[in-house]
Structure formats: structure tokens, C-alpha cells
Amino acid sequence: MGLSSAKAAALLARDGPNALSPPKQTPEIVKFLKQMVGGFSILLWIGAILCWIAYGIQYSHDPSSSLDNVYLGVVLAVVVILTGMFAYYQEAKSTNIMATFSKMIPQQALVIRDAEKKTIPSEQLVVGDIVEIKGGDQIPADIRLLCSQGCKVDNSSLTGESEPQSRSCDCTHDNPLETKNIGFYSTTCLEGTATGMVINTGDRTVIGQIASLASGVGNEKTPIAIEIEHFVHIVAGVAVSLGITFFIIAVSMKYPVLDSIIFLIGIIVANVPEGLLATVTVSLSLTAKRMAKKNCLVKNLEAVETLGSTSIICSDKTGTLTQNRMTVAHLWFDNQIFMADTSEDHSNQTFDQSSGTWASLSRIITLCNRAEFKPGQESVPIMKKVVVGDASETALLKFSEVILGDVMEIRKRNRKIAEIPFNSTNKFQLSIHETDDPSDKRFLLVMKGAPERILEKCSSILINGQEQPLDDSTAEAFHTAYMELGGLGERVLGFCHLYLPADEFPETYSFDIDTMNFPTSNLCFVGLLSMIDPPRSTVPDAVTKCRSAGIKVIMVTGDHPITAKAIARSVGIISANSETVEDIAKRLNIAVEQVNKWDAKAAVVTGMELKDMNQEQLDEILANHSEIVFARTSPQQKLTIVEGCQRLGAVVAVTGDGVNDSPALKKADIGIAMGIAGSDAAKNAADMVLLDDNFASIVTGVEEGRLIFDNLKKTIAYTLTKNIAELCPFLIYITVGLPLPIGTITILFIDLGTDIIPSVALAYEKAESDIMNRKPRHKKKDRLVNTPLVFYSYLHIGLMQSLGAFVVYFTVYAQEGFRPSSLTGLRVEWENDNVNDLEDDYGQEWTRYQRQYLEWTGYTVFFVAIMVQQIADLIIRKTRRNSIFQQGLFRNKVIWVGIASQIIIALILSYGLGSVTALNFTMLRPQYWFVAVPYAVLIWVYDEVRKLLIRLYPGSWWDKNMYY
Amino acid sequence: MVIRKEKKSCGQVVEEWKEFVWNPRTHQFMGRTGTSWAFILLFYFIFYGFLTAMFTLTMWVMLQTVSDHTPKYQDRLATPGLMIRPKTENLDVIVNVSDTESWDQHVQKLNKFLEAYDDSVQAQKNDICRPGRYYEQPDNGVLNYPKRACQFNRTQLGDCSGIGDPTHYGYSTGQPCVFIKMNRVINFYAGANQSMNVTCAGKRDEDAENLGSFVMFPANGNIDLMYFPYYGKKFHVNYTQPLVAVKFLNVTPNVEVNVECRINAANIATDDERDKFAGRVAFRLRINKT
């Protein structure tokens, strides 16, 4: 019996351990280096290298030349390395969250080796091993069953079917996924015992193949990554082309090459928003945090926004849309269908419970049931209690517990005498009880099972508590009810009973279940009860929200089409008034083929149909039906569906929990795994994890994603604006020859100092209008950084800022003795270290250092002027369309923290560090802080006018050119 | 797997560009129709016109705060700097005695520089002031009353005056004159009512040795108080800056000598670490003789 240890060891050596190989990891150092060269880093590296080259040239002319350029180069390099490290840290942090998910508890397997039973780690299983499994075990490898006793497995992680599947040792189907004698790795055995032989291990198991299918699916770039890349290209393009243009201009103006290189560095530094990418990361992670609070755990930061641009959600049914537990949905007795409350807590059972029939029916439900609550759960709410037993019995147990109270007590009072458990040949379950009525000495026989089987065994029916003969009309009524409930996709059970006559079956009568020495026909039919895995109560609302947000919700499930359609209808994926082709055919009473396919808004497509379709047909269905349900689909088909949606240009979100979902999760633009029910493979493949498994959480996620997209736009617009105010000084300096208005280091203090907190603060901005009432953004048309944004930031607000800053600059120079007219062309004399008696407009003479200090004062006021106008810029960026006063000036408190930070940093730089020469800041006269205020006011007023005109004339030329 | 990224061929890219520049179907030039271009140009014309006006206005308002007479702030000029003449590229006076051309340019510059100091010019334009006290000229109620200047005659520079000097300020003989001047600062009362003078010395010990002896004109390198205060070029038109000439008599030839001259005045600090020219001037002197 079993393999010998030696043989097993040999096989283990050949096939490797029985474990899924983990997905390939990018080495940390590669990840780190990627951050170092991504985005603007390359430009800044070029800047740094140019600095060193400039110093090299200086050094070769004059070894004693100042080290300023070396320092600047070092500063630039440090900036790149720090932002790179920051990005790397952020990425690593979000990856770490997931590391905890992927830890698997080591599994043990009971194996027969060397003819004795041994418990070994399941990793050491090899092909040919004989393993024993029992209820509650996870199946340790793909096994073929050799013998089984009432073995049932839960294949939901593999196929998505929520019902337990029975397993026997007969081969019932050629397809290994369908046949009954194969148990799959990682599925669980629910009840019974079985012995099987291992046929596949590790990556060669069915689940392993799916997992490798998932790792074979390449990761698409997230939409926000594409947008940021697009934005980096724009800014880098502007920087490089301006840099080169002015390098050429400078050289042709007979500037020395060294000076031209320094101009080039200045232009690059002024153009590159050094702090922006870090800001974007912070904004995204803030949103990720906010989403985590709302039960959306984001693995990949960029996925935060992806959810916002989602246009199609392919949702799994079981567990996501539904509660993933069988629940009594309808009852039929007294010729009437009653509806049961299927909400999460069952609290509201409103059907008529006064009838005598209900009393009988409830007794059957209670007694003819083997399920039991696990002990020690007294304080747990009924619906949350753990039950031993299969799904439908659990449903019945909880249903009766809610309505009747303590079921176990009732069962105790009605002692069970004999019992025949359910099996697939009988298709019924029977038990015989004493009654709790001391005066009634009769035994009660109760039976439940497949409705048609139960009806066969009955000759009478209970109506309003009275037994009546079962005639054709009542049978007809039964069939109608049965069909109706079945048509709702519900699993229907029939219930009947019989009081055994006391004379034939005295108290001492011994029942024998093998010989069946009691009647099993001419029973009294009591009623029907139907069960379904009901939708979560929050889902219909969430689906409606998705629809108004322009998001198409497609259901993709492994379940039966009827059930799938019923659930789709009840959650609104198929809306109340839309029909499928089949519905139309039925209504018009014509053949399905005659119906014009495109008249139907909804479609239910099964896996079998999907298999026969080519790509175009699938695309047609996806494009032409607004409400689609895919049923009976395989993991591969799920992938095909996702790809089809992506071909239509949609951003696809896929939800799933099983291993079977992982390829689709990976392929999707954003994969959403279930946190509670989800398998590790699904969580690994997903970009996001729903901690509460609730579809409704996706909607909040979408909202946050859309908001962050809007807010990033604002952040970028805010950050880009001052680039012009930083750039103009250099251009004027080169062409007009003014003393340099702002230094490179000073620019870095704006980009990485005063501007950082305000731009993050914009991430806290509330939405301007109901963002859930507009269409998802078009991937190609609604860009993060569009032409109006660039033009408005650069050529409108940016230019105003430059003018304002120049006014302050000229003020400082004029009040110290250099009027604007005499500044032009002064650059060469001004910067000559050997001219120590430069005459100003009053005839006074200045040494180089005196001029230098004045120049630094110029830097400082220019810096302060930009800062002051950036406050106005920050305020106007709060909204893109609404007036600031509609949005509320004080609603976003973080903005004010940002403004305070700007002012405080500037105060510290000017008054605190004003004496540190290397930083080129000086102490300013208080009045210089206010010179740019008129321009700040102008910026605000101008933007209000812009927004007003946009609101007044939507769709106009102004709207098109001014709305970013 | 479906490949979603399609590489565009080169021709397609050119086509797209062509269509962007001129799209015959929509009559769009660079993505805009004629009307759209007209609108946008008109808009920017008006918008930038407005901004120009705004800028001009604010600049005008700002310039109203600045007087023609005195600068609003002089905080940077608390300590006047010192400079030398002849003015050279790198603050060095190099004289190749045998090579006339090497020093002729210095001589030319000095001739020009000292023209304004000619006794005749001074006598014609400027007053004879009382030495040893400031020549204050209050406005006395008349706004910005033009100010008179005191005479500084070229002859006061003695051997360095260059008048009838065959040695060309000593450059032809290797005994060059270097002139020290102090930067003009408006309303600055140099010396704080005490006499002040300029002294020179070699920067380091070996420089002092190599420097040899020198004579100064006016004697002791004195600068008289009467040349202060300065009232600004607009109202103090003929102001003549006082000079101190230093004639180096026997500089060791063929050696570079670092010379530092500083002013000794009660209210002029000469030890500013950052400003190397505050109240002092350093220059290199080299006499090449064969």
C-alpha cells in the first residue's frame, strides 16, 4: 500500500515540492534604480552633470574659481536621489501590505507510505501517493478518488460554483473539471471522507495552471501612469526645447559657452517641477488611505485613480453581488407564494404565520434537518453563527431559528427515532419523531426533498391546516408555483409529513431504516420552500450609482444562467424594464431566431455560446448590449471577456475571489479581489482588495478615484504655474542682461519648499459637483494635463505671476539706486568681480559684494513675490468651474495649513536663514512682502471671471479654451 | 494575448503631422480653424495689452516712490569700497619697463582720468573750501538746491600728477604711480569729523619686503573732510572725488607683489570678511625689468 519512502523521495526530487511557485519578483535594486531614472530624474541628472562640466571648464581656466556649481550639481543629485528614494519607499510600503496576504499556513496531509499512515507536510506529496481526506480538510493536491463516503467538496474557488459538489469514485465526464472522481488542489472537502491517489502536484495541478496563466498575463500600464508620463513628456519637451533654443541664442549672442551652460542649467531647473512627482505620490497614497478606511485596500498606488476612470466593471456573482450563503427566499403553502426576508439579518419576516399549514411546515423544517450550530456561539447573532451542515440545511436551520426560536430545544422535545439521510438516488430526506404533544402518542414522519419526488409520494395536501385530497387542480397549482420559483433561479425543496397511526405504530415500535418498515407514500404534502444566495442589500443601490456614473456592470459567473439572470435582475444589472432576446421571444411568442438581436437591451450569454463565438461576435455583444450577464464561464473565458472589453477601449475593473479569477484580475486594468472570501492567488493578482467583500465599496472607490483625478489636475496646474515665473527671469537675464532676478537654489526652495504642502493640500479638496453623475473619462480625450491647462497655467496665470514678481524685483533695485532703465545690459559689469566701483543712478559706487547682496535681496523678493502669488494660485485652483465662494473658502482646512506653511517657510528662509550666505537669502524689509499683492488679487479676480464665463456660456469658445 | 500598442509607421507619423498642420477636411491649421485662430489671437492681443498696461501702471506707481535726489535706501553702502586707477582687467598693474606698449595703455587711461583734475578746470568749476571740515550745503528751504564742489587740484598729486612728467607717472622708469579712490556714497560723512588717510602695505611679509619704499600724495595719504558729503550726481554736478596717489619707488623687479591699501577712518570698517573691498583694495604689482 502506498509508495515507499525511497520512491517518494525520488519522485519529489524529480517533480519538485507540491507547492505553487511564487510569481517572479523584480529585484529590489532594479526597482530602486528605476525610480532614479524615471520621470524628471533624467533631466535633473543632466542638470547636475552640466553643473559639474561647468565647474570643470571654470577650473581649467582658474583653479581658484568658486565651488558654487559643484554645490548646485550636488543639490540636484540629492534632490533626484531623495525623490527617488521617496517613491521607492512608497512603492515598497504598498507592496508590504500584500506580503502579509501571501503567507500561507503550512498544510498537512495524511498519506499512506510504506504501508502505514503518516502525516506529512503537503509540500512533500508526490504523484502516486495515496492520501486520505475528511470533511474540513483542504485537498492537498489534484487527486483521483479511489473510494469515497458521502464526500462533498467546495469547488467555488476554482469554478465559482457556490454549491457543494458531491464526489464519488466513478468517472462521469471526460472533462476533468466536470467529472466527479477528481478532487482539486486547494479546494476544501466539506463533509464525508475519501481516499485518493495524487495525480498532479504543484504547478501542474489545475490550480497551478491557472496561476501560471495569471502570471503569464502582462501588467498593463495604469491610466494614471500613462497620464503622468504624458505630462512629463510635455514638461520635459518644453524644458529641453527652451533650453536648447536659449543655449543657441546665448551662444549666438557671443556669450561664453560656460555662461550658456549655466543658463541651460537654470532653464532646466526652472522648468522641472522637482517636487511634483513626490506630491502626486503623496496625494495618491492619501487617497489610498482614505479608501482603505472605506474598505478598499489599494495594493498599487496608481490603481487608486484607475478605479475612477473605470468604464466597465466585470463582477463576479457569488460573494460579491450576493451574500454567498443560501437563504430561504420564498415559501409556498396554502396555494400561495410568500416572500421571506433575505436581507443580511433576516430580521423582518412578514409573511402570514397564522395558518395551521405554516405550523406543520415549520415543524418539518425544524425536524427534518441534520444541520446544527457549533457549540459556544450563544452571543453570536443567528445569521453569523457557524453551522455544521450543507448550505441548504444551514439556510433552513437559520430560517427556523429566527422565526421559531431555539431549534435545538424543539428538536429535543421531538425526539428523533429514526432517520434516512439525503442521498442522490432517493433525492429525499426522512426522519421519524416523537411529538412534543404528551396527549398525542402518534409518531410524526417528516420528509423533504426534490419537489416532484415529494409530490409523487403524497396523496393529500394541507390547506389552511386541513388535510385535503390531492386533486389535479392542486397539483397544477403546485407545478405553477414550482416553475415560478425555479424560474427565479432558486433551489426549491418540497416538504411533507404523516402522522403514523398509533395503533399500527405503538410507542414501542422499532423502526428499521433498511427495510423501511413504515409508509413512504400517501403522505400529506405541506409546502414548498425555495432558497437562493441572495444579493447583498447594498448592491442594487451601488449598481444604480454605477449606471448613473456611466459605468457598465457586467456579471460574469460560473453559475447557472437562470440563477445568474435572477440575481442580475434583482440587483439591477438587468434593469426591470429591459428584456433579453429570450424574453422578447417569449412575450411575442416567436422563435428566438426571429427576434432582432439588437432590440434587446440585455443579454445572457453562457460559456457554451461564448465558446462558439469569434472575436467580432463577442465585441458586437459587448458593444451593443448595455446589460450583459455571462453565465457558466470558465476562467479562460473570463479573460476573453476582459480582453474584449479592453478592445472596445474601456477601462475594465474585474472583481473576483477564486483562483479561477486571477488571470482575469491580472489582465484587468484594475483587479479587485475579495478580502474575506478571496483566495491568496486572487489577492496577489489584484490591484485592490475589498476588505468587506462588498460591491458597494467599489462605488466609493470609483468616487475617490474620480476625485483624485480632478484634484491631481488642480495640483499639476498649481505647480506648473510658477514654472513660468521661475523661467522668465532666466530668459530676461539672457536676452536683456538684467542682474539675475532669481537663483537656481532659490527656485529649488520654491519647488521643494513652499510649494509642497499646498499642492498636497489640493488632494483634500472636495468635489465640485456630483462626480458620480458624469461619464467616466475618455482615456484618450480627457487627459490629466490638457492643452487648456498648460496654456492657462503658463500663458495666463504664470505670466501674471512673472509680471508681479518683476515689479517687486524692479522695486528693490530702484529703491536701492538702480532704476529699471539702467539695469538693462548691466549684467556683464554687474557680475565682474574686479569692478568694485560700479556707479548707480545717483552716482554712488558699489563694490561687487554690495551688488551681490542686492542681487540676493532680489532673489529673495522674487521668491516672496512668487510665494505670495502662489497663495492666490492655490486658492483659485480649488475649483475649475465653480466660484471659490460656491466651493467654500474655508471648507478645506488643509489648504490653509498649506498657505500657513508657505508663509512660515518663507519667513524662516528670509529672517531665520537670511545670514547663511550659501542659501542666497537676505532679510527683507517688511513692505516688500506686499508689493505683489495687487497681482495676487488680479489672479484671483481674473480666474473668477474665467469661471463665471465658463458657467455662463457652457460649450462656448471660451469654455473650450479656458476649461482645463 | 492581444497586443494593444500599435507601432505607427514613419509614413503615418508624417501624415498625421501634415494633417495637424493643415487639415483640408475641417480647414484647420495647427488644430484650429481660421475663426478660432482669429479669436485666440484677438484674445491674447487684448489680454496681453491689458497686462502690459497693468505692468506699466504698477511700475509707474512704484517709480513714484523713488526720488531723483537721494536713493530711498542705502543700507548696502554703509562702508564705501576702495578702488585703484589705472583700472585693469584683473586688478593688477604690470609694467614691462622696456616694453612701452605694456604701460602706455595705463598712461593713456590715467591721462584721461586726471583731465578733470587739471587745476584750470578745477579753478573754473569748483570752490576753494576750508580744509578739515565737511562742506555741508543744506537745502535751506530750496528743494534740491544745486550743490557746489570743492577743488581737488591735479598738482596736489605731486610727482604723480603727471604734469610735465617725462617718466609718464613713473611707468617708464619702473616707479609707477597707482591712484587710490574711495567709492562715492551719498550723504556719507567719511571720517566722522576726524582726519583720515590711506595707508598701503604688502599683504604678506615677503610682499612687504618686495614692495620697497613708496611715497604718497597728498602727504600721508590724507583725504580731507571737505570733499564730503557727496550729494548725488544730479545735484552735485562737478563733484571731484579726492584721490591718493602712491608712487612705488623700488619694487623688487620681476616679482609679483600683493599690495593692500586701506583707509583709516573712524567710521569705515576695513575688516569685512565677505566684502574684500570694504574700505580697502588689494592689487597686484609687477615690474618687469630685463
Side-chain angles (χ1 to χ4, degrees):
Chain A
M1 276 294 280
L3 297 173
S4 67
S5 295
K7 172 86 174 147
L11 284 171
L12 189 67
R14 190 192 71 188
D15 294 342
N18 174 34
L20 299 184
S21 45
K24 265 200 202 102
Q25 300 276 332
T26 327
E28 294 297 306
I29 185 76
V30 174
K31 281 190 198 164
F32 184 70
L33 288 178
K34 258 189 186 164
Q35 299 290 0
M36 289 287 151
V37 294
F40 294 119
S41 303
I42 285 285
L43 271 186
L44 291 179
W45 279 124
I46 293 174
I49 290 165
L50 284 179
C51 281
W52 293 323
I53 291 177
Y55 177 73
I57 297 175
Q58 273 175 336
Y59 186 83
S60 64
H61 286 313
D62 175 10
S64 66
S65 56
S66 79
L67 288 165
D68 285 357
N69 281 320
V70 177
Y71 294 146
L72 183 58
V74 170
V75 167
L76 289 179
V78 167
V79 165
V80 181
I81 292 169
L82 281 184
T83 47
M85 268 162 45
F86 179 75
Y88 171 77
Y89 166 73
Q90 283 291 345
E91 198 189 273
K93 214 170 67 176
S94 58
T95 322
N96 273 345
I97 300 171
M98 291 317 297
T100 52
F101 278 125
S102 53
K103 265 186 213 142
M104 292 207 196
I105 309 144
Q107 298 286 331
Q108 302 287 322
L110 187 63
V111 64
I112 299 173
R113 280 202 188 153
D114 304 324
E116 55 183 297
K117 285 187 187 180
K118 280 182 189 169
T119 304
I120 61 165
S122 57
E123 274 189 15
Q124 294 176 11
L125 284 183
V126 294
V127 173
D129 265 333
I130 308 292
V131 290
E132 282 185 11
I133 51 168
K134 57 178 195 306
D137 283 355
Q138 199 171 42
I139 297 179
D142 280 2
I143 55 172
R144 197 184 74 221
L145 300 189
L146 301 173
C147 61
S148 109
Q149 288 92 36
C151 176
K152 276 188 180 176
V153 291
D154 175 10
N155 272 357
S156 63
S157 75
L158 194 62
T159 61
E161 283 166 309
S162 50
E163 288 170 33
Q165 312 281 307
S166 68
R167 280 290 175 260
S168 63
C169 37
D170 316 312
C171 178
T172 54
H173 203 284
D174 286 341
N175 185 342
L177 275 172
E178 300 274 343
T179 182
K180 291 222 176 224
N181 64 338
I182 304 265
F184 298 106
Y185 179 38
S186 88
T187 61
T188 37
C189 175
L190 292 174
E191 55 184 84
T193 57
T195 311
M197 181 192 266
V198 175
I199 52 173
N200 275 318
T201 58
D203 287 336
R204 289 169 302 280
T205 58
V206 172
I207 230 121
Q209 282 163 11
I210 293 174
S212 57
L213 186 63
S215 63
V217 175
N219 258 336
E220 301 284 339
K221 255 190 196 150
T222 59
I224 194 73
I226 295 171
E227 290 306 318
I228 286 172
E229 199 171 78
H230 174 235
F231 153 72
V232 168
H233 283 166
I234 291 178
V235 172
V238 171
V240 169
S241 50
L242 270 177
I244 290 176
T245 313
F246 276 85
F247 185 79
I248 293 168
I249 290 178
V251 169
S252 55
M253 280 174 79
K254 304 272 185 297
Y255 278 107
V257 175
L258 174 68
D259 288 11
S260 308
I261 290 177
I262 290 171
F263 300 156
L264 186 58
I265 298 166
I267 289 172
I268 290 176
V269 172
N271 251 307
V272 173
E274 286 85 4
L276 187 55
L277 293 186
T279 312
V280 169
T281 316
V282 172
S283 301
L284 286 175
S285 60
L286 283 174
T287 306
K289 261 194 197 144
R290 216 154 45 203
M291 285 166 79
K293 267 193 205 139
K294 293 174 180 171
N295 289 323
C296 298
L297 185 65
V298 180
K299 261 173 69 185
N300 172 3
L301 270 191
E302 286 167 348
V304 169
E305 191 279 327
T306 317
L307 201 53
S309 44
T310 297
S311 51
I312 294 182
I313 300 176
C314 289
S315 179
D316 202 20
K317 179 181 76 73
T318 314
T320 316
L321 298 171
T322 66
Q323 300 169 15
N324 197 16
R325 61 162 168 243
M326 278 296 177
T327 307
V328 176
H330 292 95
L331 305 98
W332 180 81
F333 57 85
D334 293 349
N335 264 333
Q336 217 180 329
I337 291 180
F338 299 93
M339 213 157 84
D341 179 19
T342 54
S343 67
E344 273 81 345
D345 58 0
H346 265 39
S347 54
N348 206 8
Q349 301 293 1
T350 52
F351 63 93
D352 180 21
Q353 297 169 15
S354 58
S355 159
T357 320
W358 163 246
S360 303
L361 182 60
S362 61
R363 189 178 299 136
I364 308 171
I365 295 170
T366 319
L367 299 180
C368 189
N369 191 334
R370 301 177 59 194
E372 281 174 26
F373 290 114
K374 268 193 183 163
Q377 303 188 83
E378 284 72 23
S379 56
V380 184
I382 297 171
M383 296 317 292
K384 295 223 168 75
K385 283 186 185 172
V386 181
V387 176
V388 187
D390 76 13
S392 13
E393 296 224 301
T394 306
L396 293 172
L397 173 64
K398 286 186 174 171
F399 179 69
S400 45
E401 178 93 2
V402 166
I403 296 176
L404 303 171
D406 196 342
V407 171
M408 307 314 277
E409 184 57 37
I410 297 173
R411 286 194 199 159
K412 236 180 249 166
R413 289 204 305 266
N414 299 276
R415 201 168 58 85
K416 195 188 285 177
I417 309 296
E419 178 178 44
I420 303 176
F422 184 87
N423 69 47
S424 46
T425 41
N426 286 346
K427 297 213 162 148
F428 67 78
Q429 178 181 355
L430 177 152
S431 56
I432 297 166
H433 301 260
E434 293 171 349
T435 62
D436 54 358
D437 185 354
S439 58
D440 191 351
K441 293 291 172 207
R442 293 177 298 175
F443 288 104
L444 175 64
L445 183 150
V446 289
M447 186 193 258
K448 76 161 187 241
E452 64 277 8
R453 283 297 181 88
I454 298 293
L455 193 70
E456 278 169 19
K457 299 184 188 299
C458 293
S459 57
S460 60
I461 185 165
L462 207 61
I463 304 279
N464 297 327
Q466 305 300 318
E467 208 173 318
Q468 290 175 8
L470 190 65
D471 52 25
D472 283 351
S473 68
T474 37
E476 181 65 36
F478 159 87
H479 278 291
T480 321
Y482 182 26
M483 291 308 292
E484 190 174 340
L485 295 177
L488 291 173
E490 299 176 0
R491 190 195 298 171
V492 190
L493 288 175
F495 296 84
C496 64
H497 71 182
L498 182 71
Y499 284 97
L500 301 178
D503 45 348
E504 271 181 66
F505 302 94
E507 248 179 290
T508 52
Y509 190 82
S510 123
F511 293 96
D512 185 348
I513 52 166
D514 290 324
T515 56
M516 299 250 255
N517 56 352
F518 46 85
T520 55
S521 56
N522 293 326
L523 308 177
C524 174
F525 192 84
V526 180
L528 292 174
L529 212 146
S530 68
M531 283 166 297
I532 196 160
D533 177 11
R536 290 166 175 272
S537 50
T538 47
V539 170
D541 192 38
V543 172
T544 318
K545 271 192 186 160
C546 282
R547 192 152 287 154
S548 61
I551 302 168
K552 192 161 156 181
V553 183
I554 294 177
M555 184 198 276
V556 184
T557 178
D559 220 331
H560 291 276
I562 298 174
T563 321
K565 192 176 160 192
I567 293 292
R569 271 208 191 281
S570 63
V571 298
I573 288 178
I574 297 181
S575 45
N577 49 5
S578 56
E579 297 173 305
T580 62
V581 175
E582 291 79 13
D583 291 336
I584 295 176
K586 205 170 146 196
R587 176 165 58 85
L588 301 175
N589 212 2
I590 51 174
V592 172
E593 292 74 28
Q594 287 174 290
V595 179
N596 178 2
K597 272 200 279 187
W598 312 133
D599 284 349
K601 236 173 105 184
V604 177
V605 183
T606 64
M608 292 301 280
E609 290 165 346
L610 197 57
K611 208 158 70 182
D612 299 330
M613 278 180 204
N614 56 28
Q615 230 176 55
E616 287 74 40
Q617 283 170 312
L618 175 62
D619 289 0
E620 243 174 39
I621 286 184
L622 290 171
N624 290 304
H625 295 289
S626 58
E627 300 170 347
I628 310 172
V629 171
F630 288 98
R632 276 276 175 233
T633 47
S634 69
Q636 235 95 13
Q637 286 175 325
K638 205 164 184 177
L639 199 59
T640 322
I641 295 164
V642 173
E643 282 168 5
C645 294
Q646 286 175 338
R647 270 199 303 278
L648 297 178
V651 176
V652 186
V654 170
T655 71
D657 49 6
V659 179
N660 58 329
D661 296 323
S662 50
L665 287 174
K666 199 124 193 217
K667 179 73 203 171
D669 295 287
I670 176 164
I672 305 168
M674 299 299 131
I676 303 169
S679 60
D680 289 335
K683 283 177 195 163
N684 274 330
D687 304 296
M688 213 171 92
V689 179
L690 284 190
L691 294 179
D692 58 355
D693 286 15
N694 192 342
F695 184 80
S697 306
I698 299 176
V699 179
T700 23
V702 170
E703 200 168 349
E704 290 291 346
R706 289 187 175 187
L707 185 59
I708 195 64
F709 186 80
D710 284 5
N711 285 347
L712 281 183
K713 231 176 195 183
K714 294 171 184 174
T715 302
I716 289 176
Y718 168 78
T719 318
L720 282 189
T721 305
K722 56 142 198 310
N723 275 9
I724 286 297
E726 292 168 353
L727 181 67
C728 281
F730 273 94
L731 306 189
I732 303 278
Y733 168 72
I734 297 168
T735 50
V736 183
L738 300 180
L740 186 60
I742 189 166
T744 322
I745 300 275
T746 323
I747 288 175
L748 289 176
F749 270 106
I750 299 176
D751 288 1
L752 298 170
T754 56
D755 257 10
I756 290 287
I757 300 176
S759 45
V760 172
L762 284 170
Y764 287 95
E765 200 57 44
K766 297 275 179 302
E768 280 176 64
S769 55
D770 192 355
I771 40 178
M772 292 306 278
N773 272 334
R774 61 176 197 224
K775 293 249 165 308
R777 73 184 180 89
H778 190 286
K779 259 203 287 190
K780 297 259 166 60
K781 285 183 196 147
D782 305 331
R783 309 301 312 240
L784 181 64
V785 176
N786 50 22
T787 325
L789 187 148
V790 174
F791 274 65
Y792 187 68
S793 300
Y794 275 177
L795 298 184
H796 295 210
I797 305 297
L799 204 70
M800 286 190 212
Q801 278 193 353
S802 314
L803 291 182
F806 266 108
V807 168
V808 192
Y809 162 84
F810 282 129
T811 306
V812 167
Y813 276 77
Q815 294 192 338
E816 291 276 358
F818 292 91
R819 285 162 168 274
S821 50
S822 56
L823 283 178
T824 47
L826 195 61
R827 192 191 75 87
V828 178
E829 283 268 280
W830 182 277
E831 290 181 353
N832 188 335
D833 284 339
N834 293 319
V835 175
N836 280 292
D837 52 354
L838 186 74
E839 202 178 312
D840 67 15
D841 283 321
Y842 296 96
Q844 306 186 96
E845 290 165 314
W846 293 67
T847 64
R848 170 67 181 131
Y849 181 77
Q850 288 162 347
R851 295 191 312 262
Q852 180 95 64
Y853 195 88
L854 179 56
E855 191 178 316
W856 290 342
T857 310
Y859 294 177
T860 315
V861 286
F862 212 93
F863 164 83
V864 167
I866 292 178
M867 185 277 290
V868 166
Q869 294 175 90
Q870 277 292 79
I871 293 178
D873 191 26
L874 181 64
I875 291 173
I876 65 166
R877 299 302 185 181
K878 277 163 67 76
T879 60
R880 294 185 295 147
R881 182 184 288 274
N882 289 351
S883 164
I884 294 303
F885 303 102
Q886 287 172 309
Q887 180 81 351
L889 196 49
F890 300 99
R891 210 149 63 117
N892 180 355
K893 303 278 184 304
V894 189
I895 290 277
W896 293 95
V897 174
I899 292 176
S901 81
Q902 278 181 300
I903 296 172
I904 290 167
I905 291 174
L907 284 172
I908 290 174
L909 285 176
S910 172
Y911 295 116
L913 303 174
S915 48
V916 183
T917 38
L919 300 180
N920 303 349
F921 281 96
T922 65
M923 296 198 194
L924 289 188
R925 292 199 161 74
Q927 65 264 37
Y928 289 152
W929 291 72
F930 301 99
V931 181
V933 168
Y935 278 86
V937 173
L938 175 72
I939 287 171
W940 192 347
V941 171
Y942 177 69
D943 195 62
E944 280 295 327
V945 171
R946 176 190 74 95
K947 289 170 187 163
L948 180 69
L949 290 178
I950 286 174
R951 291 196 304 276
L952 285 182
Y953 305 107
S956 64
W957 176 88
W958 182 270
D959 188 12
K960 273 183 213 140
N961 284 282
M962 297 293 174
Y963 181 66
Y964 54 86
Chain B
M1 297 299 109
V2 188
I3 297 155
R4 281 211 282 166
K5 233 185 200 157
E6 296 143 27
K7 276 271 172 227
K8 289 174 195 157
S9 74
C10 193
Q12 264 177 312
V13 172
V14 171
E15 264 317 297
E16 269 172 25
W17 270 98
K18 260 190 196 164
E19 195 165 288
F20 174 70
V21 173
W22 173 248
N23 187 332
R25 279 180 293 110
T26 53
H27 290 275
Q28 279 177 335
F29 172 69
M30 308 282 269
R32 281 178 186 281
T33 60
T35 0
S36 183
W37 272 111
F39 261 123
I40 204 102
L41 291 177
L42 181 69
F43 169 78
Y44 276 104
F45 184 75
I46 295 171
F47 178 57
Y48 284 173
F50 166 75
L51 284 187
T52 314
M54 172 93 187
F55 184 69
T56 316
L57 177 75
T58 41
M59 285 298 279
W60 180 79
V61 169
M62 181 273 286
L63 287 176
Q64 297 313 301
T65 67
V66 177
S67 98
D68 286 345
H69 178 224
T70 38
K72 194 162 173 117
Y73 302 114
Q74 286 181 287
D75 51 298
R76 285 302 100 211
L77 297 176
T79 316
L82 255 52
M83 254 312 252
I84 57 159
R85 289 289 181 273
K87 193 176 182 180
T88 56
E89 189 73 354
N90 290 316
L91 289 174
D92 47 3
V93 180
I94 300 168
V95 182
N96 291 326
V97 177
S98 52
D99 177 7
T100 318
E101 254 177 53
S102 77
W103 44 262
D104 189 48
Q105 43 160 338
H106 298 323
V107 173
Q108 297 301 327
K109 277 186 198 159
L110 288 175
N111 282 340
K112 196 148 187 287
F113 174 66
L114 291 174
E115 258 172 28
Y117 289 84
D118 284 346
D119 292 16
S120 55
V121 178
Q122 289 294 320
Q124 188 192 342
K125 290 182 178 167
N126 291 346
D127 297 349
I128 299 169
C129 306
R130 226 178 83 187
R133 51 182 284 191
Y134 293 120
Y135 188 41
E136 287 183 285
Q137 303 172 68
D139 279 346
N140 287 337
V142 184
L143 194 64
N144 298 335
Y145 188 77
K147 306 295 190 287
R148 303 286 299 170
C150 294
Q151 286 184 8
F152 186 98
N153 288 319
R154 193 162 171 177
T155 42
Q156 283 173 264
L157 295 171
D159 289 354
C160 285
S161 69
I163 304 167
D165 184 357
T167 62
H168 301 286
Y169 307 99
Y171 281 82
S172 62
T173 55
Q175 295 178 318
C177 285
V178 173
F179 297 81
I180 314 282
K181 70 183 202 32
M182 184 161 72
N183 282 352
R184 292 187 295 265
V185 176
I186 290 174
N187 286 335
F188 180 66
Y189 289 81
N193 235 340
Q194 293 157 37
S195 65
M196 59 189 151
N197 70 327
V198 171
T199 51
C200 292
K203 208 164 189 181
R204 287 175 287 265
D205 287 350
E206 65 265 29
D207 290 326
E209 253 168 51
N210 292 332
L211 189 59
S213 57
F214 53 86
V215 283
M216 300 183 101
F217 309 95
N220 284 332
N222 270 337
I223 295 180
D224 201 281
L225 296 185
M226 67 180 172
Y227 300 105
F228 302 94
Y230 173 55
Y231 285 107
K233 80 173 172 191
K234 194 154 186 184
F235 304 104
H236 213 167
V237 181
N238 291 316
Y239 179 76
T240 312
Q241 213 167 354
L243 297 176
V244 171
V246 190
K247 189 172 178 70
F248 297 96
L249 298 173
N250 51 351
V251 179
T252 314
N254 304 328
V255 180
E256 194 172 276
V257 186
N258 290 301
V259 188
E260 190 175 71
C261 297
R262 55 178 71 221
I263 181 138
N264 304 300
N267 60 352
I268 301 174
T270 57
D271 52 359
D272 192 314
E273 292 234 333
R274 290 183 190 145
D275 191 351
K276 300 290 181 212
F277 290 85
R280 61 201 146 147
V281 60
F283 59 95
R284 288 190 300 273
L285 187 64
R286 187 187 174 101
I287 315 290
N288 290 331
K289 277 185 185 165
T290 43

